[in-house]
């Protein structure tokens, strides 16, 4: 690499650091909300400063806290976390805001009509985008009861993506990946109706990834930001907690 090229990269870093950076990641721990089939995380102190240095052991499922699901999470013979290319993890960011609708209907399910309505205001969603669904569900964190949102009969209610909307985005708009603020891709009502997470399976079947339990989407514009999804490279992992953040235009 020439000195000139190196100097150009340094200038790029200077420009990027002048932008506003927004953390899209929840801080998580043993007390955090998590998928009901998983045990709570365990954080154990191995050594203290009195013993020379501070070191810890962390035990949690790969799908814990704000996390990235690799295609293999739901679909056989698809890619593991380590197979995702670095450039796939940095994408133009589109945020579809349905927080008002989700507050009035906790089972709100994003439709193709919602996507077209968004495009009528902001223009067509560009190919290669990361599309995030804003519902403001993240504001319920870290309260387990509010996040699970079960009614008197023990039935959970949470918003999510409709399968038709996902198919439209991936097949008609050629987006790259999606993210949301809830535990699951599908709305709770669709999960109950279908008996399976059809939306989540569909996304991962496209041999791409998704990010779940995002936060601070309310601080982002509808278009123009860039998302970074920085994730550890565990061997043959189906997913892992991620540090997602956005740079604002």
């Amino acid at each position: 690499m020439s000195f000139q090229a190196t100097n150009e990269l340094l200038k790029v870093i200077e420009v990027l650091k002048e932008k506003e950076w927004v953390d899209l990641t929840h801080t998580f721990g043993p007390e955090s909300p998590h998928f009901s089939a998983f045990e709570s995380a365990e954080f154990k102190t191995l050594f203290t400063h009195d013993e020379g240095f501070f070191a810890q052991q962390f035990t949690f499922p790969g799908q814990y806290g704000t996390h990235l699901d690799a295609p293999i999470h739901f679909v056989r013979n698809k890619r593991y976390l380590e197979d995702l290319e670095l450039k796939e993890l940095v994408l133009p960011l589109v945020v579809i805001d349905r927080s008002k609708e989700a507050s009035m209907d906790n089972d709100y399910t994003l439709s193709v009509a919602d996507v077209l309505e968004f495009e009528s205001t902001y223009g067509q969603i560009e190919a290669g985008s990361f599309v995030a669904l804003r519902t403001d569900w993240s504001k319920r964190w870290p309260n387990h009861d509010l996040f699970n949102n079960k009614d008197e009969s023990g039935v959970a209610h949470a918003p999510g993506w409709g399968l038709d909307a996902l198919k439209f985005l991936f097949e008609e708009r050629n987006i790259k990946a999606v993210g949301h603020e809830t535990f699951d891709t599908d709305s709770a009502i669709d999960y109950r109706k279908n008996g399976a997470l059809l939306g989540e399976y569909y996304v991962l079947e496209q041999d791409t990834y998704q990010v779940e339990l995002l936060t601070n989407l309310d601080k982002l514009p509808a278009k123009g930001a860039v998302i970074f999804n920085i994730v550890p490279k565990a061997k043959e992992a189906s997913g892992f907690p991620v540090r997602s953040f956005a740079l604002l235009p």
Side-chain angles (χ1 to χ4, degrees):
M1 182 180 293
S2 68
F3 173 77
Q4 182 179 358
T6 304
N7 193 43
E8 288 175 354
L9 287 177
L10 293 177
K11 289 180 179 179
V12 169
I13 292 174
E14 289 177 3
V15 171
L16 293 180
K17 288 195 173 182
E18 290 174 356
K19 304 298 181 181
E20 182 178 353
W21 297 42
V22 178
D23 195 348
L24 305 180
T25 311
H26 287 294
T27 300
F28 75 89
E31 305 303 321
S32 299
H34 56 82
F35 183 58
S36 59
F38 296 150
E39 296 292 334
S40 297
E42 181 182 355
F43 290 8
K44 178 182 178 182
T45 297
L46 299 178
F47 300 96
T48 67
H49 289 119
D50 291 339
E51 297 169 294
F53 56 88
F54 181 38
Q56 299 159 284
Q57 178 173 295
F58 304 97
T59 305
F60 49 77
Q63 284 72 26
Y64 205 91
T66 304
H67 63 270
L68 187 150
D69 288 331
I72 194 71
H73 178 42
F74 264 52
V75 189
R76 290 183 176 89
N77 302 317
K78 292 293 186 181
R79 291 185 296 167
Y80 292 98
L81 191 65
E82 65 197 272
D83 299 319
L84 298 176
E85 297 179 9
L86 292 174
K87 290 183 180 179
E88 293 182 72
L89 304 177
V90 181
L91 297 171
L93 178 59
V94 173
V95 180
I96 299 178
D97 180 8
R98 283 297 181 267
S99 56
K100 181 179 179 181
E101 291 80 357
S103 69
M104 295 185 293
D105 176 8
N106 290 169
D107 285 315
Y108 190 83
T109 305
L110 190 82
S111 66
V112 175
D114 291 323
V115 177
L116 294 175
E117 180 183 338
F118 173 89
E119 292 188 329
S120 70
T121 301
Y122 300 104
Q124 184 168 308
I125 294 171
E126 293 81 2
S129 295
F130 182 109
V131 182
L133 173 58
R134 175 188 164 190
T135 58
D136 285 353
W137 210 253
S138 61
K139 296 182 183 297
R140 296 167 177 258
W141 189 278
N143 187 302
H144 283 254
D145 291 337
L146 290 177
F147 218 89
N148 289 312
N149 196 39
K150 293 183 178 179
D151 60 24
E152 294 178 354
S153 301
V155 176
H157 299 271
W161 301 89
L163 180 59
D164 287 348
L166 289 169
K167 287 184 175 181
F168 178 81
L169 287 168
F170 278 98
E171 297 172 22
E172 300 296 329
R173 295 296 181 259
N174 297 308
I175 68 165
K176 181 60 183 174
V178 296
H180 39 272
E181 301 177 59
T182 49
F183 287 131
D184 297 315
T185 314
D186 305 67
S187 64
I189 195 170
D190 269 8
Y191 173 70
R192 291 195 299 276
K193 178 177 65 177
N194 299 321
L197 294 172
L198 299 185
E200 184 155 353
Y201 188 95
Y202 172 79
V203 170
L204 300 178
E205 192 179 28
Q206 308 314 302
D207 200 30
T208 190
Y209 67 91
Q210 64 173 12
V211 178
E212 298 190 299
L213 296 173
L214 287 166
T215 188
N216 289 331
L217 295 180
D218 57 323
K219 298 180 179 179
L220 306 180
K223 278 187 172 183
V226 175
I227 190 169
F228 290 71
N229 298 300
I230 309 304
V231 65
K233 197 175 179 182
K235 184 175 177 60
E236 296 185 349
S238 66
F240 215 84
V242 64
R243 187 66 182 269
S244 295
F245 60 91
L247 272 63
L248 273 56

